[in-house]
Amino acid sequence: MLRKAMKFNLFNISDIKTVYQTCCYCSNHNRKNDVILFFQKHFDLPVPEINRIMNKYPSFHNDTYSSLYYNFSNLMKFGFLKEDILKKIQILTFHPITITNYIMLLEEGGFIKSKVDTNVLIRFKFISKKSIATLKDLNFINNDTNVQHHILSFTTFPRELYPKSCDDSLSWNQVQTNLFKLFVGWKIKMNLQKIQYAQSIYHRLHNKSFRRTEETIDILLNEFNFSEDKIRRHSYLIHSDPDNTKAILENYNQLCGIDIKTVLSKHPKIILTPWKSIGEIKKHFKDFNIPESALKKAPEIYTLGSNTVYERLCKLKETPELASFIDNPQVARLIYYDKKVTNRLKYLINKNCISLNLLVTNDSSFKRFNSNGNDKGKTNDIMVYLTKELGEDKIKLRSLMERHPYWQYISLLNIRKTYEYLKTKQFTKEQLCQCT
């Protein structure tokens, strides 16, 4: 019998592995076709040349038509020619926000527009380490340009507070970093230590356009009515993308059934989530017939990746002990706290007292439950399930259930299995309700 079980399990594992490999192959194949189609349509390249490019720059294998086209059209919008892009084609694999920030920073930093090509973007970090004097000698920047004043002129920073002197022996990157501290310190009254701490954690702040930084802060102050203190406390918000924030506001009136601005004010980290990912997450829950209101208890779920949410929803539905909670108003907490839920589930199965609250509650509450030696389940989970299935009032159902002294020791999974079995035997909801 054991040998048969082992064979069955091995077969299942092999089957799952085959399906996974097939899915990965299909995904990679579709992406490759995406890349080929993009290059054929916009650069008129033959397939052998496209394959050579993809082999030389493997990052293209992770791209899609839409991501490549977005970067391509963005570069064209900034005045880059198709021939220039083709010379350094790997620029299309950069993150779109990185490309935008690099171009805008170079403009703010006094670089002559005709000198900014794809080669400069590719070598941005190397070039930015050169001294301003060297960059002027190389004709990247005009000799009479005061780089500090030029950068600040793109912001609302008061002219009377501009630095009096400019040391051209400093690297362009160092000047940019010093001015960022000066500007943010003035804009939201953030002290130097906190700015340096934020830069040490959120590295994108080292290369964020001053215009986009100010736009980001203005959106937080004016659209969300965040206080300067709140932005200082949540310094990760400074490196959020203003275009993404505006897209969130334009595309979604509500999240979790609540006004979008209210949710983002209480859970500002969601602002960092790509707006399209938010739409994908909403669709995943809709596909699993979970209402948007069920996310009220865990709005943080919108800080996860859409693929992660989908995988966890599939896992929830395929795990018998968890599938019973799919209609529970707090089901989103199971998905958000997936790691905690997985670890506790293994333990609670043996105690036969699985409940949603025990799976997601904080560690101190869980330890208190465990030290009590109680193996009684949480009856509210059962009531939520039966109320929905039988369409009866919760108070009435509880009074009917309480006729059985040990009902609180029966797991929700057993109740669900019994209910589903009785349905197959043509028992009506009225009959089941009266004989609970």
Side-chain angles (χ1 to χ4, degrees), residues 49-61:
E49 176 62 13
I50 298 170
N51 286 330
R52 186 194 68 79
I53 291 171
M54 293 180 73
N55 289 333
K56 187 175 180 180
Y57 306 110
S59 297
F60 277 111
H61 289 280

Side-chain angles (χ1 to χ4, degrees), residues 183-191 194-195 228 232:
F183 171 71
V184 173
W186 165 79
K187 186 74 176 177
I188 55 171
K189 302 176 183 64
M190 193 171 183
N191 66 46
K194 286 188 176 180
I195 296 173
E228 291 178 359
R232 290 194 295 267

